[in-house]
Amino acid sequence: MLFGGTMPTFVPGRRPMSSENRAGLGAAVALLAIVSAVESVETSSAGYIGLFALVPVVAALFAAWQYVLGAGVAATVAGMVFVGQGGGLSLSGTVYLFGIALATGIAVASATMRQRQTERIRELLRLASVAQQAVLRPIGPQVGSLAVSGKYISATAAADIGGDLYEALNTPYGVRIIIGDVRGKGLDAVRLASIVLGSYRHVAFERADLKSIVADLDRAVARSVGDEDFVTAALVEERGGTLTIVNCGHPAPLLLRRGLVIPLEPPAPAPPLGFMPEVKARVERLEPGDRLLLFTDGLGEARRDGEFFPTADRAWRLLGHGTVGDGLASLEAALVDWVHGRLEDDIALVLLEYAGPDAGASVSVPSWEVGAAGS
């Protein structure tokens, strides 16, 4: 006899069944049907009724406890039917039914604990995501005279959490942008990223030059980390069409101009924040239509079969069209395709476009920085 009755599901409300519950119930129903079929045709005295105890156990691997309980009740009823066919409730039949009931209880308890653990992990990931969203506020689409778009690409599918950071601010000294990468991952990296961004959001409005901002950020990092922790960073300022960049151990930004891709390497290398960097500024005069890509080292390290993603070779074709947001979307799609969806590190991207001088702007050309470019 094949047991084909409808299993109770004990589903509260009318919410659609999740894929996990469907998988758990599907496996339980399949096992229930197989054991029932075998028991129906088996003529030996061995019997397979005890295998019904596996039905709630299988359901507990994926499904919620309500569905596990339903599977256990169905398995118990099926066991009772087959025990009754043997001519009455024997000692072995009683043991079988007790085993099925015991397995159901254990499976329900296991499913309940698994469910609580899953919900706790989901809540922690949600809080981590909220924390990072509070750290990485949306930027753009327009900051001063620059069109700006930012993008965070997480290497972990479960949560967007890491130590990459960026910010764009319209200050009395022009548009100021930072991009950085905290050594390490997880909540400690997010904490340090929040410290750097919190300090930057304050001093960017208070300091007249980028070197002073670097000194302030370096002290903030040094107070908050151990001897081996650091933050690489690049700071950019656009003032009156003049671009000033200081670099603290970070990948050089890429200038996209009339089909060319120009790495804006610093005049001299400097260590990351936390190691007292002595920076030298690089100054460029912007042209209308220029775009600037800022990125963290996850982009430079993305590779497949040992071959790195050709960022500089493909930058203009990927980033030189549409809006800056369109450009970053194209870059992300090409990057994910290159690595077959398996990134080794998180990536932060910021793309800027200079449209030309703002006729109403009151910010003057930073002559002090032009003069300091060669120092």
Side-chain angles (χ1 to χ4, degrees), residues 97-356:
L97 294 179
F98 177 77
I100 297 171
L102 179 62
T104 299
I106 295 174
V108 168
S110 299
T112 301
M113 290 187 290
R114 176 183 53 78
Q115 214 171 338
R116 289 176 179 171
Q117 226 173 17
T118 301
E119 291 172 355
R120 188 178 297 113
I121 292 173
R122 186 180 295 116
E123 179 65 14
L124 288 174
L125 292 177
R126 188 189 68 81
L127 291 175
S129 179
V130 169
Q132 188 164 48
Q133 289 173 15
V135 172
L136 289 183
R137 303 182 304 198
I139 60 175
Q142 192 73 29
V143 182
S145 60
L146 299 177
V148 182
S149 180
K151 182 72 177 178
Y152 190 96
I153 306 174
S154 176
T156 306
D160 294 336
I161 180 169
D164 292 17
L165 59 96
Y166 54 75
E167 181 62 287
L169 302 170
N170 192 10
T171 76
Y173 306 101
V175 178
R176 286 177 165 176
I177 300 161
I178 186 174
I179 188 165
D181 189 357
V182 176
R183 179 181 180 274
K185 295 181 181 293
L187 291 176
D188 287 341
V190 174
R191 179 187 63 83
L192 183 53
S194 68
I195 291 172
V196 173
L197 285 176
S199 299
Y200 176 76
R201 287 164 182 158
H202 172 71
V203 298
F205 288 91
E206 302 295 329
R207 303 295 185 232
D209 63 275
L210 295 181
K211 293 181 182 180
S212 297
I213 295 177
V214 167
D216 289 336
L217 296 181
D218 178 69
R219 287 191 290 270
V221 170
R223 286 193 298 265
S224 307
V225 301
D227 294 337
E228 297 182 357
D229 295 322
F230 57 84
V231 181
T232 69
L235 283 76
V236 175
E237 177 185 281
E238 184 278 320
R239 191 193 307 195
T242 295
L243 185 73
T244 306
I245 303 171
V246 294
N247 196 315
C248 304
H250 199 77
L254 299 179
L255 176 64
L256 286 69
R257 172 179 292 169
R258 299 193 301 273
L260 299 177
V261 178
I262 308 166
L264 299 183
E265 299 286 352
L273 299 174
F275 293 143
M276 296 183 291
E278 291 289 336
V279 295
K280 292 187 177 182
R282 173 161 183 165
V283 179
E284 298 284 338
R285 188 66 185 173
L286 291 174
E287 300 177 3
D290 281 353
R291 289 190 172 187
L292 186 71
L293 175 65
L294 310 174
F295 57 94
T296 54
D297 60 5
L299 178 61
E301 295 172 358
R303 59 187 181 272
R304 68 178 181 195
D305 301 327
E307 185 178 359
F308 291 97
F309 182 73
T311 304
D313 294 339
R314 301 178 65 178
W316 177 260
R317 182 156 54 89
L318 293 171
L319 300 171
H321 68 92
T323 66
V324 288
D326 295 333
L328 287 188
S330 295
L331 177 58
E332 180 183 9
L335 178 65
V336 171
D337 178 69
W338 178 271
V339 299
H340 304 301
R342 301 172 66 179
L343 289 169
E344 298 295 328
D345 194 8
D346 296 349
I347 301 172
L349 304 169
V350 178
L351 185 60
L352 325 171
E353 181 176 8
Y354 177 66

Side-chain angles (χ1 to χ4, degrees), residues 7 21-36 52 54-60 62-63 67-68 70-72 74-75:
M7 295 196 308
N21 289 329
R22 285 196 298 270
L25 274 183
V29 169
L31 180 59
L32 183 64
I34 292 170
V35 176
S36 298
F52 283 120
L54 296 177
V55 172
V57 175
V58 169
F62 304 101
Y67 299 96
V68 176

